[in-house]
Amino acid sequence: MRVLFWGTASFALPSLRDLAEAGHEIAGVVTQPDRRAGRGRRPRPTPVKEAARAAGYPVFTPERPGRSAFLAHLRGLRPDLSVVAAYGHFLSREALDLPARGSINVHASLLPELRGAAPVHWAIARGHPVTGVTIMRMVEAMDAGPILHQEKTDILPDETASELYERLALVGGRGLVRALEVMGEGTLEEHPQDHARATFAPRLTRRDARVEWSRPAEEVSRWIRAMDAVPGAWSELESSPLKLFRPRVSGDDAPDGCEGPEPGTVIAADPVQGFLIATGEGSLEVGEVQPAGKRRMPARDWLRGRAARPGLRLR
């Protein structure tokens, strides 16, 4: 099948690779323009652009992919199908209908659950035991099209959003190839979503990622894992932002006879005992931190510099 591929983030890379390895012809790759990033603020190509160029595919980086002139150019590529994976733009009806077989999407949840931009983060934050990938027919409404194929996977204990994201990218590539195999056989069935069961996974910003220490330790742990690595769960310690990673629920009782500390209070802060913080119910050990302007590091290394002490409060 001759495929026009739309993708931007690293989640899309296994889908692009698996399509080619399965024998599908990549007619072209549409990705977002280079964006300035890093300390030098230099233009940086998207992961999909780098991979597509390395493979020798035609690459297109429109600021506005819905313009008629651009769509006319894509139509000249004569694609049979568009595959969209983590592209980052809504596509117009004209764009969706451009290929002979229409457009399908690789989405990182078991639709109709978790429609939206951050399904991996919210699956962990909400305590879902199972998630997966849905291959769906695209319509103009967000993630609302008929389901073509789904692949399920358990969310592992203590798994972070970064780790789950990488696993689901691989699951998505395999599921996409399987869906196209069945489509090629002419036996693919499309199942409408039950819209009454839809839940949503809105985009998360740094402001959203602030930790609420009044919640139980298990919820705080899920939240920190869900924000890893971007946008990164954070709190303020002595008026300075501190990102938090690798949480572990410690227990219900504070050590050393400390009774009922306020949520967010530092209970232990040394290389031996670790970095232990009180929550609304129980306490939480944080395994890694990232102070403002510094790299991510093990909390015990950070604590060797006496960066925190018991009795201080994260807010």
Side-chain angles (χ1 to χ4, degrees):
M1 197 176 300
R2 189 170 167 83
V3 175
L4 177 62
F5 191 86
W6 306 65
T8 295
S10 61
F11 178 84
L13 296 178
S15 293
L16 179 59
R17 180 196 64 218
D18 290 356
L19 280 172
E21 290 182 354
H24 297 284
E25 182 183 359
I26 307 301
V29 174
V30 185
T31 189
Q32 292 198 33
D34 297 359
R35 305 295 185 196
R36 295 186 182 277
R39 292 190 176 182
R41 305 303 296 168
R42 294 180 178 177
R44 181 178 297 176
T46 71
V48 167
K49 181 179 179 179
E50 290 185 320
R53 280 190 166 177
Y57 304 139
V59 177
F60 309 98
T61 58
E63 284 284 358
R64 297 182 181 179
R67 286 184 170 175
S68 297
F70 177 65
L71 295 179
H73 182 69
L74 294 184
R75 196 171 290 110
L77 299 175
R78 298 176 291 104
D80 299 312
L81 179 76
S82 275
V83 170
V84 182
Y87 175 55
H89 273 301
F90 283 109
L91 299 184
S92 66
R93 180 79 268 166
E94 184 181 2
L96 295 176
D97 292 343
L98 187 150
R101 290 177 177 257
S103 301
I104 65 174
N105 178 247
V106 184
H107 182 77
S109 82
L110 297 174
L111 293 171
E113 291 185 339
L114 301 174
R115 296 176 179 176
V120 178
H121 300 77
W122 286 107
I124 292 176
R126 293 173 184 166
H128 290 201
V130 175
T131 188
V133 172
T134 300
I135 312 301
M136 67 169 180
R137 173 76 58 189
M138 295 183 73
V139 296
E140 287 184 279
M142 182 182 67
D143 300 329
I147 294 170
L148 309 182
H149 180 74
Q150 288 188 317
E151 300 261 348
K152 294 182 179 181
T153 185
D154 292 337
I155 297 178
L156 305 177
D158 298 325
E159 191 166 29
T160 67
S162 302
E163 293 162 344
L164 181 58
Y165 183 90
E166 291 183 2
R167 278 207 304 121
L168 289 178
L170 298 175
V171 172
R174 293 194 300 268
L176 172 63
V177 168
R178 179 56 185 154
L180 294 195
E181 285 177 357
V182 181
M183 181 182 290
E185 294 166 0
T187 58
L188 185 65
E189 296 182 2
E190 301 190 7
H191 303 280
Q193 293 188 40
D194 181 354
H195 302 300
R197 292 180 47 240
T199 60
F200 297 90
R203 188 180 306 276
L204 289 155
T205 66
R206 180 184 179 278
R207 182 176 181 178
D208 299 322
R210 190 167 191 160
V211 176
E212 295 184 25
W213 296 104
S214 60
R215 296 184 177 276
E218 182 58 45
E219 290 186 22
V220 176
S221 176
R222 290 202 307 263
W223 187 254
I224 292 174
R225 287 188 288 111
M227 299 302 108
D228 184 319
V230 177
W234 65 281
S235 197
E236 282 192 352
L237 182 66
E238 295 190 302
S239 301
S240 181
L242 180 70
K243 286 189 175 182
L244 310 162
F245 309 94
R246 297 294 177 191
R248 184 177 66 85
V249 176
S250 178
D252 294 333
D253 299 320
D256 302 326
C258 184
E259 296 182 5
E262 289 289 321
T265 299
V266 176
I267 299 170
D270 64 62
V272 177
Q273 289 185 295
F275 191 31
L276 194 66
I277 305 161
T279 71
E281 183 180 319
S283 55
L284 192 76
E285 182 176 2
V286 173
E288 295 180 5
V289 299
Q290 185 175 4
K294 296 186 179 181
R295 63 176 178 84
R296 179 170 168 172
M297 67 185 75
R300 292 175 188 270
D301 291 350
W302 176 65
L303 292 169
R304 287 191 179 93
R306 298 183 179 180
R309 64 182 184 276
L312 293 178
R313 192 174 173 197
L314 289 156
R315 301 178 185 273

